[in-house]
């Protein structure tokens, strides 16, 4: 296989060198003229040559190779005035372009900042892109616009219930999503048990989710990749913005470090429900705490035309406590340093050093003992990425990466004077490294081919004691010194995309991908929470592997005003993990002995109709899907529904512009209740009645549905100041969607069992004031 790849790439380079003898390259970076932000996905076309052009990459850089001659470059981005640049093409040239927003087109940015038929021309299948302006009008809980909540309104992406946390993509569980914020991994993407997402939309420039085949540069999860990029900050003028809501407020500051060369951005957000509790005269309430905060920081500096550096960070934390009896806090911290370097008109590179950390701390205070649970995961990553523009029809991406991980699975801590001495849970250390290569080739105007290969090497290393298990019983113990190799796994991940455009409004796409995952989240069968346990692959736990095949048909109607798509997928998952019945999770040094292993499968159909332009915009989506597991030791080895399995999922989103000042919106969602484990009977032992659980996930929660309404009023909009009011009504018809169902013996008739439903929200009105100057 190695010889085959070398032969193919040698031929591609040879063809490119011959072509280059009679051609030259124009390259540069595209910026927003008002704030200096780089524009991702800008179209650069050649007026004199049909179907010749390119788009800017994730850092706004473009490269276009043309035969000798005189041409006109047409640079365009939806919502901006296009520019025409005359080029006398006899030698390599550089043109950095600043585009100005177009007041007549700016409303189109509300739905997309891409080409109107980008869904047809792109080779990608199973991809969702969200611009922050798209979500400003969508009604949400407590009036807080939320990119994660918006994603769950698209096909193939769902949550199980209010307050459950997590996001489930094409049958994968919530730990199988790779979430990146400026390239740093975010392990918990929720605040307040899932009611808010970790990401303050005021700090976000762009979000791309890959549900199907992600580019080869991404790896580490078998379900999806969510790549989120923060704003760079305005390098022209200083601006302050923010919002004040019923439960939270936010503030942002941005401006130039050196005008046209560098800028900074600071955004912060905090809820203040705990402040209202302090107003209570009840001591049981006014000592409670319930809040979260997050802080986004970013700075960048253009050293010269070929070098630019970025430094960004995120810090967020949730705090929950009840008087002095119980306390819990958890949060993420990330830091990213990046260096963009333009080697020449064809070769672009990005060097990254990334730190990511997640931890939680739970404290329980009893009369005789105080105890706590602590868990933490840290990693340091170094990446080197290259993008080589071989020709207008062929681009090559390749790179290497190295990651150092340290995991504390879950330590029980007690006071020094406690008579109980907890077992010391050992930290685990591992190294992941490898490389990737990917080539995108467009042999003609209709066909686009992308092939890639990713290599992942995982090494579990000492120090520590490592155990082997059989039926939860220790069969062997081995002790390793610091840095000594305990277990190694090597996996190749091939990927391929084929896209064929019948014309400018019809295309079909097919993709295959293999992904591996060495980090696993252990959670019980009923809930997702911040105290779920992360563990790495080991001598007992093999890497999870996912093979997915997907295909889609894409059709645009009425001059790209409507987009219609249908996608089918089938995913086979290996080395899947579930807990034994009655497993002990917390502070268990032998948690690996509580695990069972098997296979999984997920398949489905995703339909979407989107209206992109006009006074009425929005979309309707429908997903029909099935997700199952087969694990020895559970349900007699038969296939059973995964916890996140939900057969039907429907979302309808509409936004209507009543006037230049007023916009109204509504969303309606429906999904089949997810799979749960309920008791199927009861029995008596030692004079006590116990519930009997048999089939895993053999029952369903009631169907979930909800209507949300919203309205936005532009109070003022000028060059120096803008402000707006947003109103929303969450769950407008008061549907009582159960958060959980508990079973207990009927007090009046012990022979009967009663089910008690717990609800979180019915009607939730909100209002928020947003400003920028």
């Amino acid at each position: 296989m190695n010889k085959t790849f070398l032969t193919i790439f040698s031929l591609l380079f040879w063809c490119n060198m011959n072509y280059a003898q009679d051609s030259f390259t124009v390259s540069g970076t595209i910026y927003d003229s008002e704030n200096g932000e780089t524009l991702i996905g800008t179209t650069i076309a050649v007026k004199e040559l049909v179907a010749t052009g390119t788009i800017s990459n994730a850092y706004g850089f473009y490269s276009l190779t043309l035969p000798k001659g005189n041409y006109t470059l047409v640079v365009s981005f939806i919502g901006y005035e296009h520019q025409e640049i005359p080029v006398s093409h006899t030698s390599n040239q550089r043109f950095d372009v600043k585009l100005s927003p177009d007041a007549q087109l700016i409303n189109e940015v509300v739905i997309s900042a891409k080409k109107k038929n980008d869904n047809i021309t792109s080779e990608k299948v199973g991809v969702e892109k969200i611009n922050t302006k798209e979500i400003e009008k969508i009604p949400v809980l407590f009036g807080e616009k939320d990119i994660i909540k918006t994603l769950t309104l698209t096909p193939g992406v769902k949550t199980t219930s209010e307050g459950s946390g997590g996001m489930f993509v094409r049958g994968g569980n919530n730990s199988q999503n790779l979430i990146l914020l400026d390239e740093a991994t975010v392990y918990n993407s929720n605040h307040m048990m899932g009611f808010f997402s970790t990401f303050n939309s005021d700090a976000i420039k762009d979000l791309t989710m890959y549900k199907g085949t992600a580019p080869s540069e991404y790896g580490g999860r078998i379900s999806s990749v969510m790549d989120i990029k923060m704003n760079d900050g305005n390098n022209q003028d200083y601006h302050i913005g923010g919002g004040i809501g019923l439960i939270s407020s936010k503030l942002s500051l941005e401006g130039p470090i050196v005008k046209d060369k560098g800028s900074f951005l600071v955004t912060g957000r905090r809820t203040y429900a705990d402040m209202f509790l302090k107003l209570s005269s009840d001591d049981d309430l006014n000592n409670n705490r319930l809040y979260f905060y997050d802080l986004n920081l970013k700075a960048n500096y253009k050293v010269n035309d070929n070098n630019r550096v970025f430094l960004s960070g995120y810090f967020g934390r949730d705090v929950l406590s009840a008087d002095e009896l119980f306390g819990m806090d958890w949060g993420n911290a990330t830091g990213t340093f990046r260096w963009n370097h333009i080697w020449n008109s064809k070769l672009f590179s990005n060097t990254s050093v990334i730190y990511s950390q997640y931890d939680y701390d739970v404290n329980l205070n009893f009369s005789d003992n105080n105890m706590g649970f602590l868990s933490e995961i840290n990693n340091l990553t170094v990446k080197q990425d290259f993008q080589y523009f071989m020709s207008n029809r062929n681009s090559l991406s390749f790179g290497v990466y190295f990651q150092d991980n340290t995991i504390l699975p879950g330590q029980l801590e007690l006071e020094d004077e406690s008579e109980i001495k907890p077992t010391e849970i050992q930290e685990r250390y591992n190294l992941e490294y490898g490389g990737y290569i990917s080539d995108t080739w467009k042999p003609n105007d209709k066909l686009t081919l992308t092939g890639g290969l990713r290599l992942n090497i995982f090494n579990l290393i000492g120090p520590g004691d490592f155990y082997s298990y059989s039926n939860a019983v220790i069969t062997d113990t081995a002790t390793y010194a610091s840095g000594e190799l305990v277990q190694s796994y090597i996996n190749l991940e091939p990927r391929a995309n084929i896209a064929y455009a019948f014309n400018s409004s019809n295309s079909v796409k097919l993709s295959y991908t293999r992904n591996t995952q060495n980090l696993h989240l252990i959670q019980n069968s009923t809930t997702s929470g911040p105290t779920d346990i992360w563990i790495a692959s080991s001598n007992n736990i093999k890497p999870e592997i996912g093979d997915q095949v997907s295909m889609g048909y894409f059709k645009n109607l009425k001059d790209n005003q409507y987009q219609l798509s249908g996608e089918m997928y089938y995913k086979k998952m290996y080395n899947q993990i579930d807990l034994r019945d009655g497993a002990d999770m917390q502070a268990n040094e032998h948690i690996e002995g509580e695990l069972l292993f098997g296979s999984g499968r997920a398949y489905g159909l995703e339909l979407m109709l989107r209206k992109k332009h006009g006074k009425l915009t929005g979309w309707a989506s429908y997903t029909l899907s099935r997700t199952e597991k087969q694990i020895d030791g559970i349900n007699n080895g038969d296939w059973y529904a995964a916890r996140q399995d939900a057969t039907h999922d429907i979302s309808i989103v509409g936004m209507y512009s009543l006037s230049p000042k007023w916009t109204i919106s509504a969303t309606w969602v429906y999904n089949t209740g997810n799979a749960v484990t309920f008791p199927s009977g009861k029995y008596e032992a030692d004079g006590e009645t116990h519930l009997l659980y048999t089939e895993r996930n053999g029952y369903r929660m009631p169907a979930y549905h909800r209507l949300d309404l919203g309205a936005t009023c532009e109070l003022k909009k000028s060059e120096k100041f803008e402000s707006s009011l947003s109103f929303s009504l969450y769950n407008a018809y008061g549907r009582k969607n159960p958060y959980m169902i508990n079973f207990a013996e009927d007090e009046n008739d012990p022979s009967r069992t009663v089910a008690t439903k717990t609800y979180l929200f019915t009607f939730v009105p909100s209002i928020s004031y947003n400003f920028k100057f």
Side-chain angles (χ1 to χ4, degrees):
M1 184 170 61
N2 291 336
K3 290 183 178 180
T4 302
F5 270 97
L6 286 173
T7 301
I8 293 172
F9 288 121
S10 296
L11 287 172
L12 291 173
F13 274 108
W14 180 82
C15 293
N16 186 63
M17 291 299 294
N18 277 274
Y19 177 73
Q21 293 176 3
D22 296 314
S23 60
F24 294 91
T25 302
V26 58
S27 62
T29 304
I30 313 298
Y31 300 95
D32 182 312
S33 64
E34 291 190 353
N35 56 33
E37 291 277 353
T38 55
L39 297 179
I40 303 170
T42 304
T43 300
I44 301 94
V46 181
K47 195 172 186 178
E48 291 79 8
L49 300 176
V50 178
T52 298
T54 187
I55 61 173
S56 59
N57 69 7
Y59 299 95
F61 178 78
Y62 74 94
S63 176
L64 190 62
T65 301
L66 300 169
K68 292 180 179 178
N70 298 321
Y71 303 101
T72 305
L73 299 184
V74 181
V75 184
S76 58
F77 193 77
I78 294 295
Y80 288 75
E81 297 177 353
H82 75 273
Q83 280 194 32
E84 294 190 0
I85 303 172
V87 176
S88 180
H89 218 50
T90 58
S91 60
N92 292 347
Q93 298 179 59
R94 176 164 181 159
F95 290 97
D96 291 339
V97 182
K98 293 183 178 181
L99 295 182
S100 301
D102 188 332
Q104 296 180 346
L105 298 177
I106 197 65
N107 288 334
E108 298 191 22
V109 183
V110 171
I111 289 299
S112 179
K114 302 179 293 181
K115 291 192 303 181
K116 290 185 177 182
N117 70 335
D118 184 76
N119 63 317
I120 303 297
T121 59
S122 170
E123 80 282 1
K124 297 181 178 66
V125 60
V127 175
E128 297 291 345
K129 283 188 72 70
I130 291 187
N131 186 280
T132 53
K133 290 187 177 294
E134 180 175 10
I135 66 176
E136 289 179 349
K137 310 294 193 271
I138 298 177
V140 290
L141 181 65
F142 301 127
E144 184 75 23
K145 62 182 181 180
D146 196 311
I147 56 176
I148 300 293
K149 299 300 182 188
T150 303
L151 270 178
T152 62
L153 300 173
T154 61
V157 185
K158 65 184 71 174
T159 57
T160 54
S161 64
E162 290 170 336
S164 64
M167 179 177 61
F168 308 95
V169 180
R170 289 191 171 179
N173 64 45
N174 60 315
S175 69
Q176 294 170 346
N177 306 310
L178 177 64
I179 301 175
L180 301 173
L181 179 63
D182 272 2
E183 301 186 31
T185 302
V186 176
Y187 291 97
N188 189 310
S189 61
N190 299 293
H191 285 307
M192 289 181 65
M193 312 299 288
F195 295 117
F196 293 83
S197 86
T198 296
F199 309 108
N200 182 348
S201 296
D202 288 352
I204 304 304
K205 176 196 291 191
D206 180 80
L207 180 150
T208 304
M209 167 169 272
Y210 299 93
K211 301 177 293 184
T213 298
S216 298
E217 65 189 86
Y218 301 104
R221 301 292 188 275
I222 67 170
S223 183
S224 73
V225 176
M226 188 191 306
D227 188 5
I228 304 169
K229 293 181 172 58
M230 289 171 52
N231 286 318
D232 296 328
N234 195 311
N235 68 8
Q236 301 296 308
D237 296 297
Y238 294 97
H239 290 280
I240 296 176
I244 302 172
L246 294 179
I247 194 172
S248 68
S249 291
K250 55 189 177 180
L251 189 67
S252 64
L253 173 65
E254 61 179 332
I257 299 172
V258 176
K259 192 171 182 178
D260 285 324
K261 293 181 72 68
S263 60
F264 71 90
L265 171 73
V266 180
T267 68
R269 179 175 57 159
R270 192 192 191 278
T271 57
Y272 32 73
D274 57 315
M275 297 182 182
F276 293 110
L277 295 177
K278 292 186 181 299
L279 300 177
S280 172
S281 59
D282 187 343
D283 291 339
D284 291 334
L285 287 178
N286 57 32
N287 288 325
N288 293 346
R289 295 190 298 169
L290 173 62
Y291 68 89
F292 74 80
Y293 69 86
D294 47 43
L295 180 67
N296 295 80
L297 307 167
K298 191 167 184 179
N300 73 92
Y301 187 76
K302 185 178 179 182
V303 180
N304 53 43
D305 286 344
N306 293 327
N307 294 279
R308 191 178 185 186
V309 292
F310 303 80
L311 184 63
S312 59
Y314 168 82
F315 307 91
R317 200 142 199 96
D318 285 69
V319 177
L320 172 64
S321 68
D323 199 10
E324 296 181 355
L325 300 176
F326 167 82
M328 180 170 68
D329 62 273
W330 66 94
N332 301 278
T334 72
T336 305
F337 171 79
R338 287 179 293 169
W339 168 39
N340 285 178
H341 179 62
I342 301 173
W343 295 86
N344 54 49
S345 59
K346 288 179 174 290
L347 183 61
F348 178 92
S349 77
N350 178 62
T351 306
S352 303
V353 179
I354 307 158
Y355 172 76
S356 184
Q357 186 256 353
Y358 172 73
D359 73 278
Y360 68 78
D361 190 2
V362 180
N363 294 292
L364 302 172
N365 301 321
F366 303 104
S367 57
D368 53 349
N369 272 308
N370 295 333
M371 66 175 61
F373 295 96
L374 174 66
S375 181
E376 188 173 306
I377 179 170
N378 293 274
N379 64 60
L380 179 66
T381 304
V382 179
K383 289 176 53 187
Q384 180 62 64
D385 302 303
F386 293 93
Q387 190 172 10
Y388 183 66
F389 299 86
M390 301 172 67
S391 71
N392 298 335
R393 295 187 178 272
N394 203 326
S395 64
L396 189 68
S397 298
F398 55 97
V400 294
Y401 63 94
F402 177 89
Q403 186 174 89
D404 184 3
N405 300 301
T406 302
I407 303 174
L408 177 63
Q411 176 65 49
L412 174 63
E413 296 183 328
L414 295 171
E415 291 183 340
D416 293 338
E417 59 270 20
S418 174
E419 296 180 359
I420 304 173
K421 300 301 179 184
T423 301
E424 186 75 20
I425 305 297
Q426 301 176 71
E427 289 186 327
R428 294 304 190 201
Y429 307 90
N430 64 78
L431 303 175
E432 277 194 73
Y433 53 95
Y436 71 90
I437 189 167
S438 178
D439 184 75
T440 299
W441 178 41
K442 193 175 179 65
N444 55 52
D445 296 339
K446 295 182 177 294
L447 182 64
T448 304
L449 306 172
T450 298
L453 186 67
R454 182 180 178 87
L455 170 67
N456 178 262
I457 302 172
F458 174 89
N459 288 338
L460 177 66
I461 59 175
D465 298 322
F466 296 84
Y467 308 95
S468 298
Y469 302 91
S470 177
N471 295 321
V473 177
I474 299 174
T475 59
D476 187 38
T477 303
T479 301
Y480 291 83
S482 178
E484 191 173 358
L485 181 64
V486 179
Q487 183 70 48
S488 181
Y489 296 102
I490 301 175
N491 284 288
L492 285 174
E493 305 172 22
R495 306 175 188 192
N497 272 27
I498 302 174
Y500 185 81
F502 299 100
N503 50 45
S504 61
S505 60
N506 286 273
S507 68
V508 63
K509 305 172 188 180
L510 176 67
S511 74
Y512 163 77
T513 185
R514 164 167 283 205
N515 291 287
T516 60
Q517 179 168 336
N518 286 298
L519 195 62
H520 321 281
L521 188 64
I522 309 303
Q523 53 194 156
N524 65 42
S525 61
T526 57
T527 61
S528 296
T531 58
D532 294 333
I533 296 173
W534 288 98
I535 60 176
S537 296
S538 68
N539 52 311
N540 298 297
I541 305 172
K542 295 181 180 179
E544 298 179 56
I545 298 175
D547 287 324
Q548 182 181 172
V549 177
S550 58
M551 68 176 298
Y553 174 72
F554 302 82
K555 170 72 174 177
N556 285 6
L557 305 166
K558 291 192 174 181
D559 192 28
N560 299 303
Q561 188 173 10
Y562 295 89
Q563 292 183 348
L564 176 65
S565 65
E567 298 185 36
M568 295 184 296
Y569 67 90
Y570 181 87
K571 183 191 300 181
K572 183 69 174 178
M573 295 170 280
Y574 307 91
N575 305 325
Q576 296 301 282
I577 301 172
D578 214 332
L579 286 165
R580 296 177 183 275
D581 292 331
D584 180 16
M585 287 180 57
Q586 296 297 335
N588 183 356
E589 65 171 330
H590 299 295
I591 183 66
E592 293 184 12
E594 304 281 5
L595 305 179
L596 298 172
F597 307 95
S599 301
R601 63 189 181 193
Y603 46 92
L605 170 68
E606 300 169 357
L607 301 175
M608 188 170 192
L609 175 64
R610 183 192 293 264
K611 187 175 185 293
K612 296 187 63 177
H613 310 289
K615 286 192 172 184
L616 176 64
T617 57
W619 65 85
S621 71
Y622 169 71
T623 304
L624 174 67
S625 62
R626 184 71 171 159
T627 307
E628 300 171 306
K629 288 183 176 182
Q630 185 182 48
I631 295 178
D632 289 339
I634 300 177
N635 283 14
N636 299 315
D638 296 330
W639 287 95
Y640 64 97
R643 183 173 62 90
Q644 65 270 21
D645 179 63
T647 308
H648 304 285
D649 187 80
I650 303 171
S651 297
I652 300 174
V653 179
M655 292 161 280
Y656 185 76
S657 179
L658 288 173
S659 68
K661 283 186 172 291
W662 281 95
T663 300
I664 58 175
S665 58
T667 64
W668 183 75
V669 296
Y670 171 92
N671 59 67
T672 306
N674 61 287
V676 291
T677 302
F678 286 154
S680 55
K682 57 185 178 181
Y683 62 94
E684 187 173 304
D686 297 327
E688 294 184 359
T689 301
H690 303 270
L691 297 174
L692 176 64
Y693 294 87
T694 54
E695 186 178 0
R696 180 77 63 92
N697 295 342
Y699 296 85
R700 295 275 171 182
M701 291 289 284
Y704 180 98
H705 54 90
R706 188 188 78 242
L707 173 68
D708 303 333
L709 302 174
T712 301
C713 177
E714 297 278 357
L715 299 177
K716 185 175 183 179
K717 191 167 186 176
S718 64
E719 290 185 3
K720 294 186 177 181
F721 182 79
E722 58 184 72
S723 61
S724 64
L725 276 176
S726 295
F727 307 88
S728 68
L729 179 60
Y730 182 86
N731 198 3
Y733 53 73
R735 163 72 175 179
K736 291 186 176 181
N737 292 298
Y739 168 62
M740 65 173 61
I741 300 178
N742 294 317
F743 295 84
E745 195 175 85
D746 191 333
E747 294 181 358
N748 300 318
D749 184 359
S751 65
R752 297 179 64 247
T753 300
V754 295
T756 303
K757 298 179 180 180
T758 301
Y759 308 99
L760 294 180
F761 297 115
T762 51
F763 309 95
V764 183
S766 65
I767 181 173
S768 60
Y769 172 73
N770 299 286
F771 62 90
K772 185 176 182 180
F773 59 89

